[in-house]
Amino acid sequence: MKPWATPCTILAAAWLALMPHPGLTAPPDQPRVIEGIEIGKPGGELRMLIGRQRETRFFNIYGYAHLIGFDRDLNLVPDILESYEVEDGRIFTLHLRKGHKWSDGQPFTAEDFRFYWEDVATNDDLSFSGVDIQLLADGEPPKLEVLDEHTVRWSWSKPNRFFIPAIAAANQLFIYRPAHYLKQFHKKYADPEQLKKLMAENGARDWVQLFLRKDRLNDFDNPDMPTLQPWHLVTKPPAQRFVAERNPYFHRVDSKGQQLPYIDRFVLEIIDGKLIPIKTGAGEVDLQARQLVFKDYTFLKESEPRSGLTTLLWPEARSSHLAVYPHLNAEDPVWRGLFRDLRFRKALAMAIDRDALAEYLYSGLAEPSNNVILPTSPLWMDELANECASFDLDAANQALDELGLDKRNDAGIRLLPDGRPMELVVENSGEDNEQTDVLELLADQWAAIGFKISSKPSDRQIMRSRVYAGSALMSMFFGIDNGVPTASLPPREFAPTSQGDQLQWPKWGQHYETKGEAGEPPDLPEAKRLLELYDEWTTASEERQKEIWQEMLKIYAGQCYTIGLVSGVQQPVAARATLHNVPKDAIFNYEPHGQFGIYLPDTFWYGD
């Protein structure tokens, strides 16, 4: 008997043959069997609220269909793949499930990997910044071999420590594409006249723009594009209400052989983020966590009799619930100089009473945090605990005096070296009132050291654009997603490796992401050292990886590149009382949990 031919998979085939459900077809020949869940029944609609159209990508995040993914205990398991093998950390052989199909019924095969690599990832027109950096091992791109219709092999001459984490991440790296669908938009395959016609119909200036408009696997906003997720989109943007329907070829089944997902339709409706708590309390959702914050919990609990929802509290695993990001690449030379001075960053960190923040905003159910890692991480060191997280108002004032910021105006605000008052706007995403509440308290605390701030909520993308341009001097956003990392995960958050995720040094991150084509190289010694250590980690032994992690954590924590506030905040999760298989106790985190994704919403179902 083959490893996959367990009694459960044999039962699966028999059950499907006997009890077909409208809209379902047979899953792959070797489906993934989900054990340990309450067996449900098909049907129903799951409603959720989002704040902007770009969040249609959460159909991917919550669907959580990965080649290799995490289970609830954070073990890596084959998901879309039937199995895989790793040799020397550099050779990865991936075995597909025979009979697996895209949501449009076309076979999912090795050709989808070959097309991605040869015709998308290495096509200079489509991938103008080059191969994704996570597919490079010490700068070397992979070799892709198609061994047969259901087997591909990715290999490098050196170990690639990024490969598995990248395809298993909540925001996964897709190393395949539906070739049968996208070839019609690709210059290499399409009939020239037909391609011109499609370009005209879509208002595209050339075939590249047309292709990129259609290749939306990650964004999940093209209803014509096939998917491997549990639901496929049927609504064409722009819209206020996006509907995704059951994928009839999905690869998971329950232990009785019923094909998943149980729920027929998954609906994301766009509304003003500030209205989401009210709409949730009114029972206009079936499952909601995004844009709910701890202070909404009491209101949601009181609303349960009329909403029909149950309100749960799931602890986060972020290093810091929220953090402040001083902009080390700011356009303003005076502020940039201050932000690059460790003494100034430490003074700001020491002037925050985190216990008061925890008590006032989170009923004491939070702990002071410096946005590094949490004590439950196997990489924790006690010496990290108080780095840039201790409260000492006198020391903060003394440090600012010694920096030459000892002059104040009539309002008690310190003066910058050029005579301007030491005041600025802290920009935030404006998706809820929580960040504004935190900044109000922070403004009161920083006023005690002669530093005046005000808050400016804006759309998340607008805020990020201002940060990238250097015009936003300081921002507030969520802290590092995974506060409990292990040494086998890339320490990318602790080195300047990303423009999009690291608001404290976006130009340095952009320089790394574009391999020097854009942005600026880091010019602070400690930041340079972090990047050197990060690059060394990629080829290091397991023992050395842990040493690298710990050296990076010591540098990062001591340098106060970001200013953490509190951790351990509880996330309200509102779920329809009749919705089964939603865990009562769980961790709410984006990376690697995918918020709800790791708990497999395809297994959720409605009881009476």
Side-chain angles (χ1 to χ4, degrees):
M1 181 182 291
K2 294 185 179 181
W4 53 263
T6 61
C8 286
T9 55
I10 295 169
L11 276 172
W15 186 275
L16 283 167
L18 292 172
M19 298 190 65
H21 178 73
L24 297 185
T25 64
D29 299 344
Q30 307 99 21
R32 180 184 174 190
V33 181
I34 306 300
E35 305 276 6
I37 60 169
E38 183 182 359
I39 300 300
K41 60 184 180 181
E45 180 176 280
L46 182 69
R47 299 169 300 161
M48 195 178 291
L49 300 174
I50 55 176
R52 56 201 177 113
Q53 183 171 302
R54 191 172 181 275
E55 293 180 10
T56 55
R57 65 193 177 92
F58 277 91
F59 284 127
N60 268 328
I61 306 300
Y62 295 156
Y64 214 69
H66 295 66
L67 295 172
I68 301 165
F70 290 96
D71 65 14
R72 294 190 186 192
D73 298 319
L74 298 185
N75 300 309
L76 286 166
V77 296
D79 180 28
I80 291 173
L81 296 179
E82 192 271 329
S83 63
Y84 68 98
E85 295 99 42
V86 181
E87 300 173 52
D88 302 325
R90 63 182 187 85
I91 302 172
F92 303 83
T93 305
L94 313 182
H95 302 278
L96 310 188
R97 298 180 186 275
K98 293 181 176 63
H100 194 178
K101 298 178 180 179
W102 290 92
S103 57
D104 62 357
Q106 293 299 310
F108 173 56
T109 69
E111 170 63 9
D112 297 311
F113 291 82
R114 186 212 61 79
F115 175 77
Y116 161 76
W117 178 245
E118 295 183 4
D119 298 316
V120 180
T122 58
N123 182 291
D124 292 338
D125 293 324
L126 296 175
S127 299
F128 37 84
S129 60
V131 175
D132 191 287
I133 201 164
Q134 297 173 104
L135 289 177
L136 301 178
D138 198 21
E140 174 197 349
K143 174 185 177 183
L144 174 65
E145 301 171 81
V146 174
L147 303 184
D148 60 45
E149 187 180 8
H150 299 100
T151 313
V152 296
R153 178 174 292 151
W154 298 77
S155 59
W156 291 261
S157 63
K158 299 177 181 179
N160 185 341
R161 310 295 186 192
F162 300 111
F163 186 63
I164 297 295
I167 62 178
N171 190 21
Q172 62 186 295
L173 175 64
F174 289 99
I175 58 171
Y176 55 85
R177 291 292 192 277
H180 68 280
Y181 169 71
L182 287 173
K183 283 180 178 179
Q184 64 182 309
F185 311 113
H186 199 293
K187 184 178 180 180
K188 179 179 175 181
Y189 300 96
D191 175 78
E193 292 304 315
Q194 181 63 19
L195 192 57
K196 285 183 182 178
K197 180 180 177 183
L198 291 171
M199 287 163 49
E201 289 176 355
N202 286 270
R205 64 176 177 270
D206 54 27
W207 78 271
V208 173
Q209 187 178 59
L210 173 67
F211 188 94
L212 294 176
R213 286 178 178 177
K214 299 298 183 178
D215 181 18
R216 310 290 287 179
L217 202 58
N218 185 60
D219 297 271
F220 216 98
D221 59 2
N222 176 8
D224 296 327
M225 189 169 194
T227 183
L228 300 178
Q229 296 297 328
W231 297 274
H232 67 95
L233 188 67
V234 297
T235 306
K236 184 178 180 180
Q240 289 298 113
R241 187 173 186 269
F242 288 88
V243 179
E245 295 181 349
R246 173 193 274 119
N247 174 1
Y249 303 97
F250 193 52
H251 66 282
R252 298 177 194 150
V253 299
D254 64 23
S255 59
K256 284 193 173 181
Q258 290 187 99
Q259 189 183 19
L260 301 171
Y262 289 127
I263 291 175
D264 288 329
R265 289 172 301 280
F266 188 175
V267 179
L268 296 178
E269 183 176 351
I270 302 174
I271 67 167
D272 185 331
K274 295 180 178 62
L275 298 177
I276 288 179
I278 298 170
K279 294 279 191 178
T280 302
E284 296 181 27
V285 300
D286 300 299
L287 184 65
Q288 191 70 36
R290 286 187 65 73
Q291 296 177 310
L292 299 181
V293 296
F294 181 75
K295 72 174 186 178
D296 297 321
Y297 178 71
T298 301
F299 164 70
L300 294 173
K301 287 297 290 183
E302 292 173 348
S303 301
E304 286 182 352
R306 61 179 181 274
S307 70
L309 304 176
T310 298
T311 311
L312 310 169
L313 283 177
W314 291 359
E316 290 180 337
R318 287 194 188 112
S319 296
S320 179
H321 178 61
L322 293 169
V324 176
Y325 294 84
H327 199 327
L328 276 65
N329 304 144
E331 279 189 327
D332 187 305
V334 175
W335 278 109
R336 183 172 65 247
L338 286 174
F339 290 148
R340 292 190 181 201
D341 193 315
L342 174 59
R343 295 170 297 172
F344 185 75
R345 299 195 300 271
K346 278 194 170 182
L348 298 187
M350 286 190 294
I352 299 174
D353 185 348
R354 293 166 177 80
D355 288 318
L357 289 177
E359 187 63 38
Y360 186 78
L361 291 174
Y362 306 109
S363 302
L365 300 175
E367 297 291 334
S369 172
N370 56 7
N371 196 32
V372 184
I373 61 173
L374 300 178
T376 48
S377 168
L379 298 169
W380 176 256
M381 298 168 283
D382 289 340
E383 61 201 89
L384 299 176
N386 294 319
E387 287 283 9
C388 300
S390 57
F391 176 51
D392 192 333
L393 205 55
D394 292 337
N397 273 305
Q398 182 180 343
L400 294 175
D401 288 343
E402 292 173 353
L403 274 169
L405 302 170
D406 52 339
K407 298 181 178 61
R408 302 188 184 223
N409 63 16
D410 293 340
I413 301 171
R414 292 179 185 270
L415 300 179
L416 297 173
D418 62 359
R420 286 180 293 165
M422 198 172 91
E423 58 179 302
L424 55 71
V425 174
V426 181
E427 310 218 6
N428 62 87
S429 60
E431 295 170 0
D432 54 58
N433 293 324
E434 182 184 30
Q435 294 182 35
T436 303
D437 293 342
V438 171
L439 284 170
E440 285 180 2
L441 289 176
L442 209 54
D444 290 340
Q445 295 185 2
W446 274 345
I449 59 169
F451 179 31
K452 182 180 179 180
I453 65 166
S454 56
S455 66
K456 180 185 177 182
S458 60
D459 177 81
R460 183 185 297 194
Q461 290 306 113
I462 294 174
M463 179 197 78
R464 287 182 180 274
S465 296
R466 287 179 52 76
V467 171
Y468 301 159
S471 53
L473 297 173
M474 183 180 280
S475 56
M476 171 173 279
F477 199 61
F478 299 114
I480 291 171
D481 270 316
N482 187 3
V484 288
T486 62
S488 63
L489 293 175
R492 62 185 300 273
E493 294 89 349
F494 301 96
T497 59
S498 171
Q499 178 191 37
D501 299 331
Q502 299 169 348
L503 303 178
Q504 71 273 33
W505 47 38
K507 292 187 185 299
W508 295 350
Q510 184 187 36
H511 187 267
Y512 185 83
E513 284 183 320
T514 61
K515 310 173 192 67
E517 294 294 322
E520 303 169 359
D523 55 3
L524 292 182
E526 296 81 8
K528 290 180 179 179
R529 178 58 181 159
L530 287 172
L531 208 49
E532 290 170 359
L533 288 166
Y534 178 72
D535 287 337
E536 183 187 349
W537 178 94
T538 64
T539 57
S541 65
E542 290 185 12
E543 182 179 356
R544 177 60 183 148
Q545 282 182 332
K546 183 174 181 180
E547 295 172 350
I548 290 170
W549 255 103
Q550 292 182 326
E551 184 177 349
M552 290 181 71
L553 291 172
K554 290 176 185 177
I555 294 172
Y556 191 89
Q559 287 294 311
C560 299
Y561 291 124
T562 66
I563 301 173
L565 302 175
V566 296
S567 62
V569 173
Q570 303 283 313
Q571 170 66 48
V573 173
R576 181 68 50 195
T578 54
L579 190 61
H580 291 242
N581 284 332
V582 178
K584 298 294 184 291
D585 299 304
I587 300 294
F588 187 83
N589 222 43
Y590 183 79
E591 194 65 64
H593 296 72
Q595 296 179 351
F596 293 117
I598 204 168
Y599 307 110
L600 304 184
D602 53 293
T603 67
F604 298 172
W605 61 280
Y606 290 106
D608 296 329

